[in-house]
C-alpha cells in the first residue's frame, strides 16, 4: 500500500487554545481512514490544515511524497485534495453548477462554458442519486440537505487523490448515507484515499478501514481496526468507560400543553394535527425533505401558514408572530446553527441569554453578572469545551456551537420546546448530557417536540414518534414498541402503516 | 483566552485613542499653547458637537446594518421647520419643534426601511433629496433669523465652567448612547438584529420595530444637533449640513463599527468624531491651504486607520 | 442702470434704486406689437443659496412683468447638470437663451446654442469663448474684491491683521474676489497682512466652524473679509460667541436683507458690497429687447450693447437705507 | 423551489424596466413629442453616460461587498492630471493619461482595501478628500481649457447615426461590463468573493487580487467617464463630479445589487442609471424649480423602489 498522506507532529495554536498538539496521521491509497473524537478534539482543525484552509503552527504535511504548501487551499486542491467541510462552504448567490465548478470553471476561450458545466453538474448529482436537483437553482434557495449534496458533488468534480469528509452524514438520512457510501467505495476501489469524520460510530464500522482517535488535540490511538467496538472507541475518545446513553424516564401523564390543529403550509406541509402532553417527548422522524423543519417552523410562527391553529395551554397563539409564540412559551432550537441560531461574534454568554434578558435584567437594563451566572451553569451542564463562557461563538467547534444554541433554549423557561436535530454533530459523551438535560426539562413538565434523523434516538428516547413523508404525518408510533425498521418503513413509502393514528389525517400532497 | 480576548479588544479599543493622543501631541508640538490650551481643546469638542451628536444616533442605525444618508438635509430642514412654524412661540417651542421635525423625518425613513422594506441606502437617499428641497421651499432660500430667541442663542454664546454648552450636550448624548447601547435590553436587541436578523427573529425579537426605532433615534439626535447648530448660528439656514452624512458615518466607521451591522462601539464613535475634529482644527490653526488640507486629511485618515489596523 | 463698456462712467447714487424696477427704464412693449410671445429660456444655478435663489426670483418677476414674454426657468445643481439641461432646452427652440453658467465649462453648450441660431445672453460669468454669447451682463467680482480691499485699506489706515473667508475653492467667483482684494490692499505694501485665508463654501455652518478655529489661532484680528453675506452669518456668530466682536469688524458680499439690517444697526457688520441679483431681471429685459431687435431706449444705438457691467457698490451704515429695497 | 426562484427573479428583473417604461409614458403624456423624440431620448442616454459609465465599475466593487466614495473626486482629478501633463501631446495622450490617472487612484484604493485591510468606506473616503485636493492643487483652482484638442471635443459635439458619442461609449461599457460579470471566470470570482469570502478562499480563489482588481476597474471606468465629461465640457475643471459617488452607487443599488455583496446585476444597474436620468430629464422639461425638483426626486425614487418591492 502506498501512503497518500503523511501528517507528522502537526500543531495548531489558536490565540489562547491549542487545537492540535502534535498529531500524526497516515492515509493510504484505497483506504477509508476514520477520525473520531469529542467535540473540540481537533478533527476539523486537522483536516483544515491538510486542505490548506488554515496554516498549521508547526508540523509537516506530505502528500504523495511531496511537502504541501501550508495555508494555500489552491495548492492542496491542485494536488488532488478534495474537502467537504463541516460548515457548508458554498456561495449562496451562485447557482448549483457555479458552486460545483467554483475555482475550476470549464471555459471556451475566455468565456464560461455554461452548458458543459450544467451537463457535468447534473451528471455528478445523478451519481449521488439526486439527478432531480436543478443545476441552475440558486444555492440560497436550497434546503440544508441539498446544499450538502452540492458540496459533495463539488468535491467529486475534481480528480481526487485524497477525499476529506467532515461529518458529511450529519444532515443526511439513511438512504442518502447509503448513496454516499456507494460513491466512497467506488472511489476507494479506484485507489483514492478517504478521511471520514463522524460522530455516528455505527457508520464507521460500516465504511471505515482504520480509525484514528483524537482527544484534546492529541492522537490517543491510531490504526485501530474498523471492527473496534463502539464501547472501546468511546472509552478512548472521552477517556472513561461509558454506558447507558439514554436516561431513565418515568412515563409522562401531565395534561395537554401543545395542541396543533389542522396546521398546513403547502406544498411543504399538509394539514397536520397532534397534541403533546406536559412531560412528554414527541419524536418526529422521516427522511430529509419530509417537511419536519417546516412543521416546527410553522408551529413557531416563523413561516406563514395556509391554515390551522396552534394552542399552548389551551390559549391560541397568533399566527406568523414568532415574538408572541416565544412569549406564549414556545421555544425552537433551529436546524441551521450558524445562519439561524448564533451570533458568531458574540461571546457564549450573550448567545445563551438573548431570550431571557427581561428575566435576568433590572428594568430596561441588563445585568452582566446575572447573565454570566445563568449562562455558565447551562453551558457547563452541556459540557461545552473549552469551558470558557466568554469565548466567542465563532471560535467554538461545530458541535460546541450546537450546544450553545441548545443551552439558550434549555435556559429559557418555555412551556414547549421544539428541537430540530438537537444532537446533530454532538459527540457521544455530550449526547448523553443533552438527553439528560432534555429529560430533566420534560420531568419539569415541559412538552418537547424533537425532530431527529437518528432512528436510535427516536426509538430509545421518545415517548411517541410521528413519522413524516412528503410533508404529511403518515404514522404515529409508541416509543417503547417502535423499531428503527418500522420508522424507516413508514418514512420510505412502504406498505400502509399498521396502526393509523386517529388524530393524524392521511396526507394529500 | 478570555485574557487574550480582552487583550485583543484592548488594542482595538486603544488604537483610536492612541491616534487622538498622537494628534494632540503633534498639535502641541506644532502650535504649542495656542493648540494645547483648554480653550482650544474645548473648542475642538465644540466643533465636534454637531456631527458628533448625529454620529451617536448613526451608530445605532449602522449597528442594525442600516445607514442614514439624510442627516445633513434633515439637520437643515428640521431647523427651518422649527424656525418657520415655532419661531413666535419662543425658544422652548422652537427646540421642541426642531427635534420633533427631525424625529418625523426619521420615522418616515424608518417606515420605508422596516415596513416598505426599501434598502436603507435608497430610502434615506430619497429623504436626502426631499428634506433639502423642503428646507429651501419653506425658507425661500433665505436664512431665518432667530436672534430674538435668547435661550436658544445662549447655547452658542454661553459657557458652563468654561465649557461650551454644545460640547456638554454632546458629551451627555454620547454617555446616554453608550449606556443604552451597552447597558440595556434595547441596545442588545439592536445589535442582535444587526448581527443575525433571522436568529433574532427566531429568538422572538420583533425585528421591524427595532429597525424602525433606530431611524427615529438618529432623527432625534439630528434634531438635537440642529438645535445646537442653530443656537450657534442664531439663524436657521437651508444650506447647512451639506456632507454631514459623510462626516457622521465616517466617524462611526473609523471608530470600529461595522457597516455590515452587529459589531459596534460607542466609545469608538466618540474617538472617531474627535479624530476628525482634531484634524480639522490642526489644519486650520496651521492655516494650511484648503486644497493641501484635503490632501492631508486623506493621508491622515489612512494613517490613522493603518495605525488602528496594527491592532490586529 | 449701468451700461457701456468696462467701468465706463462711474455710477451715480440714484442708480441703485433705479435697479429696483427696470421695467420703467426698459422700453415698454410697442402698442402695435401683438402676436406670438417671445420665448425666453433662463438657465440658472440651483436656487440652493440666498443669492442664487434671488437670481431666480428676479428673473421670474421680470418675466411676469411683460405680457409678450413667456419665460421658462431651469435650475441646475452642477455644471454637468446645466450642460445636459441646455441640451434639453435647445430642443424647445427658445427665441433667446439666458444663461448664468455654473462655470466656464458650460461654454461649449452655449456655443452650440449660438451655432443653432439661438442668441445667448450670459449673466454674470463670462464664457471662455466670446463667440458663445451675444451679450454679457455681469457683476464685477474683481471689482467687488477691489472695492472691499480699498475700504479695508482706508479703514485700517493700511495697517492690521485681516482674515479672509472665501467661497467655494476653485471657482472663478472666489478667485476674482480674492485677487481683487489682494490687489487693492497691495497699495499698503504689506501693511495689511492676511493672517488666515480659508474657504467656507458659501455655507454659514462652514463659516462658523472655520472662524471658530481661526479665532483660536489668531489672538489679534482687526477685520474679516468674507465672500458672501449668508456665509458671513456664521462668521459673525463665531466672533460674537467668542465675545470678540469689539476687537474686529467684518464685511460681506451680495446685499442680503440680514446683512443690511446689521449694517444699519452698526457694530460688527460694517459693510457689504453689492453683487446684486437684479442683474437677472435686467438680463430678461435685455433678452426681450434682443428678440424684438430693439436697443436701450436711452442710448442712440438701435441694438443692445454686448457688455454690461454692474458696478460693485459698497453699502455702509450711511447709505444702507438707499439699498434696503433691493436687499434679498 | 427553482421555479419559484425563477419567478421571483423575473419580477425583480422586470420591475425596474417597468419603472423606466412608466417614466417614459409619463413623459410622453406630459410633454408629448418634445420628450418622446429620438433626439431627447438620446439626450437622456447622453446625460446618463458619465454617471452610468462609473456605475458599471461600481457594480463590480459593490458585488465584492465594497464601495468607492472617491469616484467623484477622481473624475475631476483624472481629467486635471490628464489636462495638465498630457495637454500638449494631443487628444489620444490626454485620454490615455486621464484613464491611467483614474486607474492609478483605483489601484491605491485597491491596495488600501485588499492588503492594508482598511474598510472600503474609509479608504475611499480618504481618497475622496485627497483626489479633490490634488485636482485643485495641480489646477491652481482654475479650469484647464482643452478647446484645441479637436478629437476630444468631437466627443461632445459630434454624433454617429444621430447618437451622441458618450451615449455610444456608455452602451459599449455596459455591454462589456455585463459580459465580464456574467460570462467570464473573473466575474464569477468577483461574485464569489462578495457572496462568501471564506468559501471563495477555500475554493482556491486568490481573494485579495480580486478585491484589488475591482477598485482598479472602477478607476478605469471613472477615467473613461472623465474623458466623456471633459469632451463635453471642452475643459477640465477641479470642481466637477461633486456627489457623483452618490449618483453612481444609488443607480447600482436601485438596480438590485446588494451593498452586502454577492448579489449583483449589470442590467439592473443600467436601468437604475436610466431611471435617474429620466427623472432628471422630465423635471427639466417641466422646468420645475430646483427645490421642488429635489422633493419630487425623493418621492419618485421611493415610488420607483416601492413599485420594485411589489415584486416580492
Ligand atoms: N477560529 C478559532 N479560534 C480559536 N479557537 C478555535 C478556532 N477554531 C477552533 N478552535 C478551537 O480548536 C479546538 C478544536 O476545534 P475543532 O473544530 O477542530 O473540533 P472538532 O474536533 O471538529 O469538534 P466537532 O466534532 O464539534 O466538530 C476547539 O477547542 C475549538 O474551540
Ligand atoms: N430554504 C428553503 N428554501 C426552499 N425550500 C425549502 C427550504 N428548506 C426546506 N425547503 C423545502 O421544505 C421541505 C422540507 O425541507 P427540510 O429538508 O427542511 O425537511 P426536513 O424533514 O426538516 O429535512 P431535514 O432533515 O433537513 O430537517 C422540502 O421539500 C424542501 O424542498
Ligand atoms: Mg468539527
Ligand atoms: Mg429540517
Amino acid at each position: 500500500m502506498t501512503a497518500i498522506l503523511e501528517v507528522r507532529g502537526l500543531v495548531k495554536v489558536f490565540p489562547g487554545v491549542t487545537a492540535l498538539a502534535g498529531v500524526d496521521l497516515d492515509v493510504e491509497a484505497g483506504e477509508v481512514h476514520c477520525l473520531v473524537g469529542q467535540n473540540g478534539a481537533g478533527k476539523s482543525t486537522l483536516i483544515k490544515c491538510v486542505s490548506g484552509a488554515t496554516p498549521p503552527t508547526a508540523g509537516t504535511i506530505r502528500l504523495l511524497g511531496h511537502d504541501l504548501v501550508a495555508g494555500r487551499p489552491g495548492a492542496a486542491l491542485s494536488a488532488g485534495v478534495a474537502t467537504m467541510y463541516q460548515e457548508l462552504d458554498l456561495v449562496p448567490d451562485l447557482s448549483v453548477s457555479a458552486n460545483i465548478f467554483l475555482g475550476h470553471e470549464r471555459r471556451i476561450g475566455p468565456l464560461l462554458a455554461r452548458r458543459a458545466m450544467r451537463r457535468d453538474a447534473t451528471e455528478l448529482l445523478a451519481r449521488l442519486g439526486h439527478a432531480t436537483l436543478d443545476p441552475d437553482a440558486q444555492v440560497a434557495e436550497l434546503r440544508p440537505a441539498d446544499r450538502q449534496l452540492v458540496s459533495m458533488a463539488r468535491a467529486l468534480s475534481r480528480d481526487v487523490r485524497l477525499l476529506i469528509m467532515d461529518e458529511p452524514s450529519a444532515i443526511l438520512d439513511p438512504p442518502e448515507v447509503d448513496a454516499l457510501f456507494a460513491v466512497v467505495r467506488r472511489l476507494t476501489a479506484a485507489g483514492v484515499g478517504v478521511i471520514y469524520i463522524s460522530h455516528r460510530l455505527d457508520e464507521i464500522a460500516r465504511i471505515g478501514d482504520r480509525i484514528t482517535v483524537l482527544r484534546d488535540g492529541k492522537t490517543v490511538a491510531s490504526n485501530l481496526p474498523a471492527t473496534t467496538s463502539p464501547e472501546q472507541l468511546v472509552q478512548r475518545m472521552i477517556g472513561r468507560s461509558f454506558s447507558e446513553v439514554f436516561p431513565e424516564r418515568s412515563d409522562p401523564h401531565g395534561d395537554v400543553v401543545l395542541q396543533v390543529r389542522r396546521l398546513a403550509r403547502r406544498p411543504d406541509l399538509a394539514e397536520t394535527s397532534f397534541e403533546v402532553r406536559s412531560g412528554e417527548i414527541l419524536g418526529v422522524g422521516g427522511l430529509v425533505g419530509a417537511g419536519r423543519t417546516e412543521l416546527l417552523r410553522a408551529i413557531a410562527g416563523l413561516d406563514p401558514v395556509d391554515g390551522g391553529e396552534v394552542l399552548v395551554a389551551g390559549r391560541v397563539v397568533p399566527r406568523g408572530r414568532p415574538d408572541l409564540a416565544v412569549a406564549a412559551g414556545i421555544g425552537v432550537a433551529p436546524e441551521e446553527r450558524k445562519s439561524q441560531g448564533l451570533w458568531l461574534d458574540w461571546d457564549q454568554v450573550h448567545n445563551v441569554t438573548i431570550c431571557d434578558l427581561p428575566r435576568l435584567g433590572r428594568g430596561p437594563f441588563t445585568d452582566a453578572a446575572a447573565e454570566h451566572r445563568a449562562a455558565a451553569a447551562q453551558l457547563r451542564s452541556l459540557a461545552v469545551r473549552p469551558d470558557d463562557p466568554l469565548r466567542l461563538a465563532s471560535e467554538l467547534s461545530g458541535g460546541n456551537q450546537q450546544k450553545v444554541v441548545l443551552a439558550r433554549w434549555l435556559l429559557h423557561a418555555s412551556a414547549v420546546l421544539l428541537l430540530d436535530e438537537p444532537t446533530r454533530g454532538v459527540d457521544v459523551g455530550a449526547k448523553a448530557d443533552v438527553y439528560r438535560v432534555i429529560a430533566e426539562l420534560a420531568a419539569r413538565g415541559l412538552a418537547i417536540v424533537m425532530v431527529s434523523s437518528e432512528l436510535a434516538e427516536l426509538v430509545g428516547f421518545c415517548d411517541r414518534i410521528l413519522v413524516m413523508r412528503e410533508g404529511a404525518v403518515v404514522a404515529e408510533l409508541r416509543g417503547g414498541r417502535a423499531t428503527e425498521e418500522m420508522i424507516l418503513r413508514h418514512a420510505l413509502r412502504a406498505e400502509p402503516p399498521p396502526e393509523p393514528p386517529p388524530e393524524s389525517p392521511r396526507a394529500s400532497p | 483566552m478570555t485574557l487574550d480576548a480582552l487583550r485583543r479588544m484592548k488594542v482595538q479599543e486603544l488604537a483610536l485613542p492612541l491616534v487622538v493622543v498622537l494628534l494632540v501631541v503633534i498639535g502641541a508640538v506644532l502650535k504649542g499653547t495656542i493648540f494645547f490650551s483648554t480653550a482650544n481643546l474645548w473648542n475642538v469638542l465644540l466643533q465636534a458637537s454637531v456631527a458628533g451628536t448625529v454620529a451617536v444616533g448613526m451608530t445605532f442605525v449602522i449597528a442594525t446594518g442600516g445607514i442614514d444618508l439624510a442627516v445633513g438635509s434633515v439637520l437643515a430642514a428640521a431647523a427651518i421647520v422649527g424656525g418657520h412654524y415655532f419661531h413666535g412661540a419662543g425658544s422652548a417651542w422652537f427646540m421642541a419643534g426642531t427635534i420633533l421635525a427631525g424625529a418625523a423625518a426619521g420615522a418616515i425613513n424608518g417606515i420605508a426601511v422596516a415596513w416598505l422594506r426599501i434598502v436603507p441606502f435608497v430610502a434615506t437617499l430619497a429623504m436626502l433629496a426631499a428634506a433639502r428641497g423642503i428646507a429651501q421651499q419653506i425658507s425661500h432660500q433665505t436664512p431665518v433669523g432667530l436672534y430674538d430667541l435668547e435661550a436658544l442663542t445662549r447655547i452658542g454664546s454661553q459657557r458652563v465652567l468654561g465649557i461650551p454648552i454644545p460640547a456638554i450636550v454632546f458629551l451627555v448624548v454620547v454617555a446616554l448612547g453608550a449606556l443604552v447601547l451597552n447597558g440595556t435590553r434595547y441596545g442588545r436587541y439592536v445589535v442582535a438584529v444587526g448581527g443575525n436578523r433571522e436568529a433574532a427573529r427566531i429568538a422572538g425579537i420583533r425585528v421591524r420595530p427595532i429597525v424602525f426605532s433606530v431611524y427615529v433615534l438618529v432623527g432625534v439626535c439630528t434634531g438635537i444637533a440642529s438645535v445646537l447648530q442653530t443656537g450657534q448660528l442664531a439663524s436657521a439656514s437651508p444650506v447647512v449640513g451639506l456632507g454631514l452624512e459623510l462626516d457622521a458615518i465616517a466617524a462611526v466607521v473609523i471608530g470600529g463599527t461595522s457597516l455590515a451591522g452587529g459589531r459596534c462601539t460607542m466609545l469608538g464613535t466618540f474617538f472617531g468624531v474627535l479624530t476628525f475634529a482634531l484634524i480639522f482644527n490642526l489644519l486650520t490653526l496651521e492655516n494650511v491651504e484648503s486644497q493641501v488640507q484635503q490632501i492631508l486629511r486623506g493621508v491622515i485618515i489612512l494613517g490613522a486607520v493603518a495605525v488602528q489596523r496594527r491592532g490586529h | 442702470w449701468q451700461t457701456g463698456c468696462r467701468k465706463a462712467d462711474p455710477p451715480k447714487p440714484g442708480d441703485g434704486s433705479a435697479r429696483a424696477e427696470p421695467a420703467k427704464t426698459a422700453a415698454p412693449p410697442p402698442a402695435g406689437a401683438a402676436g406670438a410671445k417671445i420665448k425666453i429660456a433662463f438657465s440658472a444655478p440651483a436656487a440652493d443659496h440666498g443669492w442664487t435663489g434671488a437670481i431666480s426670483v428676479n428673473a421670474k418677476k421680470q418675466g411676469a412683468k411683460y405680457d409678450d414674454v413667456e419665460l421658462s426657468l431651469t435650475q441646475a445643481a452642477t455644471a454637468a447638470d446645466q450642460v445636459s439641461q441646455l441640451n434639453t432646452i435647445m430642443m424647445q427652440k427658445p427665441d433667446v437663451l439666458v444663461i448664468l453658467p455654473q462655470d466656464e465649462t458650460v461654454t461649449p453648450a452655449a456655443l452650440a446654442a449660438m451655432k443653432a441660431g439661438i442668441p445667448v445672453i450670459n449673466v454674470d460669468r463670462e464664457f471662455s469663448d466670446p463667440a458663445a454669447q451675444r451679450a454679457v451682463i455681469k457683476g464685477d467680482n474683481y471689482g467687488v474684491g477691489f472695492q472691499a480691499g480699498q475700504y479695508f485699506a482706508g479703514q485700517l489706515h493700511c495697517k492690521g491683521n485681516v482674515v479672509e473667508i472665501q467661497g467655494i475653492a476653485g471657482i472663478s467667483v472666489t478667485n476674482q474676489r480674492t485677487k481683487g482684494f489682494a490687489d487693492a490692499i497691495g497699495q499698503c505694501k504689506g501693511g495689511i497682512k492676511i493672517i488666515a485665508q480659508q474657504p467656507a463654501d458659501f455655507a454659514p455652518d462652514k463659516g462658523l466652524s472655520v472662524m471658530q478655529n481661526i479665532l483660536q489661532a489668531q489672538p489679534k484680528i482687526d477685520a474679516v473679509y468674507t465672500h458672501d453675506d449668508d456665509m458671513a452669518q456664521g462668521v459673525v456668530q463665531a466672533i460674537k460667541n467668542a465675545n470678540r466682536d469689539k476687537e474686529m469688524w467684518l464685511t460681506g458680499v451680495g446685499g442680503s436683507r440680514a446683512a443690511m439690517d446689521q449694517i444699519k444697526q452698526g457694530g460688527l457688520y460694517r459693510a457689504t458690497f453689492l453683487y446684486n441679483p437684479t442683474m437677472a431681471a435686467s438680463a430678461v429685459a435685455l433678452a426681450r429687447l434682443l428678440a424684438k431687435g430693439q436697443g436701450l431706449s436711452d442710448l442712440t444705438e438701435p441694438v443692445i450693447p454686448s457688455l454690461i457691467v454692474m458696478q460693485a457698490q459698497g453699502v455702509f451704515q450711511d447709505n444702507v437705507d438707499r439699498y434696503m429695497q433691493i436687499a434679498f
Side-chain angles (χ1 to χ4, degrees), chain A residues 34-175:
Chain A
C34 297
L35 264 183
V36 298
Q38 282 178 286
N39 297 128
K43 305 181 293 297
S44 298
T45 304
L46 171 55
I47 63 106
K48 278 180 187 163
C49 290
V50 174
S51 73
T54 34
T57 312
T60 62
I61 303 170
R62 292 174 69 77
L63 196 74
L64 298 160
H66 306 293
D67 278 353
L68 202 60
V69 195
R72 285 280 305 282
L77 284 165
S78 47
V81 181
T83 314
M84 286 174 58
Y85 293 90
Q86 185 172 17
E87 303 80 26
L88 293 174
D89 48 10
L90 305 173
V91 181
D93 314 278
L94 289 175
S95 73
V96 168
S97 63
N99 268 284
I100 290 177
F101 290 100
L102 188 62
H104 60 113
E105 289 78 2
R106 307 230 188 296
R107 288 184 300 172
I108 314 169
L111 298 185
L112 294 168
R114 292 156 164 278
R115 196 174 290 99
M117 286 192 279
R118 198 177 297 121
R119 194 189 54 239
D120 300 358
T122 323
E123 195 176 294
L124 280 164
L125 291 166
R127 254 211 281 162
L128 296 167
H130 278 259
T132 54
L133 196 55
D134 173 5
D136 293 330
Q138 261 212 345
V139 163
E141 301 295 332
L142 297 182
R143 59 198 181 85
D146 288 344
R147 294 191 196 141
Q148 185 75 2
L149 287 165
V150 174
S151 45
M152 205 182 307
R154 172 209 209 145
L156 303 179
S157 66
R158 301 169 173 266
D159 74 278
V160 194
R161 308 304 307 282
L162 175 64
L163 175 61
I164 304 175
M165 296 190 279
D166 194 351
E167 301 190 35
S169 58
I171 61 172
L172 300 182
D173 55 38

Side-chain angles (χ1 to χ4, degrees), chain A residues 343 345-346 350 354, chain B residues 59-60 62-65 180-182 184-197 200 205 210 214 260-265:
Chain A
W343 284 270
D345 40 22
W346 280 8
H350 285 193
I354 185 67
Chain B
T59 307
F60 282 83
I62 295 181
T64 65
V180 173
L181 188 59
N182 307 321
T184 70
R185 206 183 315 150
Y186 172 75
R188 184 78 58 85
Y189 289 164
V190 166
V191 183
V193 167
N196 186 340
R197 186 159 301 216
I205 298 171
I210 295 284
V214 293
R263 221 164 339 95
C264 58
T265 142

Side-chain angles (χ1 to χ4, degrees), chain C residues 191-250:
Chain C
I192 292 182
K193 282 190 295 302
I194 298 183
I195 52 175
Q197 185 185 51
Q198 294 289 337
D201 308 351
F202 292 125
D205 53 342
K206 303 273 189 310
L208 178 80
S209 49
V210 169
M211 194 60 194
Q212 281 171 336
N213 279 332
I214 292 176
L215 286 168
Q216 294 297 329
Q218 305 299 342
K220 177 88 180 63
I221 302 171
D222 298 304
V224 183
Y225 165 50
T226 73
H227 283 211
D228 175 72
D229 285 337
D230 281 7
M231 177 174 72
Q233 185 56 40
V235 182
V236 167
Q237 285 301 319
I239 298 168
K240 281 188 179 160
N241 293 340
N243 295 321
R244 288 174 65 173
D245 45 346
K246 298 280 170 295
E247 169 187 334
M248 67 194 82
W249 49 270
L250 143 165

Side-chain angles (χ1 to χ4, degrees), chain A residues 143-145 288-294 335 420-421 424 451 453:
Chain A
R143 59 198 181 85
V288 166
R292 298 165 297 173
T293 294
E294 275 56 31
E335 176 178 22
D420 199 346
E421 309 279 6
R424 170 176 298 169
V451 167
S453 298

Side-chain angles (χ1 to χ4, degrees), chain B residues 126-219:
Chain B
M127 180 58 75
L128 163 75
R132 180 70 60 185
I134 289 168
Q136 291 176 346
Q137 182 67 353
I138 296 180
S139 66
H140 304 297
Q141 290 96 33
T142 44
V144 182
L146 301 167
Y147 313 92
D148 50 336
L149 299 180
E150 274 90 14
L152 178 68
T153 50
R154 234 176 270 126
I155 291 177
S157 55
Q158 297 205 342
R159 292 162 173 256
V160 176
L161 318 166
I163 312 176
I165 294 174
I168 298 174
V169 175
F170 169 44
L171 290 176
V172 171
V173 171
V174 168
L176 280 178
L179 179 67
V180 173
L181 188 59
N182 307 321
T184 70
R185 206 183 315 150
Y186 172 75
R188 184 78 58 85
Y189 289 164
V190 166
V191 183
V193 167
N196 186 340
R197 186 159 301 216
E198 181 62 8
R201 193 164 156 268
I202 295 178
I205 298 171
R206 299 193 55 194
V207 172
R208 288 176 181 187
I210 295 284
V211 171
F212 171 76
S213 68
V214 293
Y215 288 91
V216 177
L217 193 65
V218 74

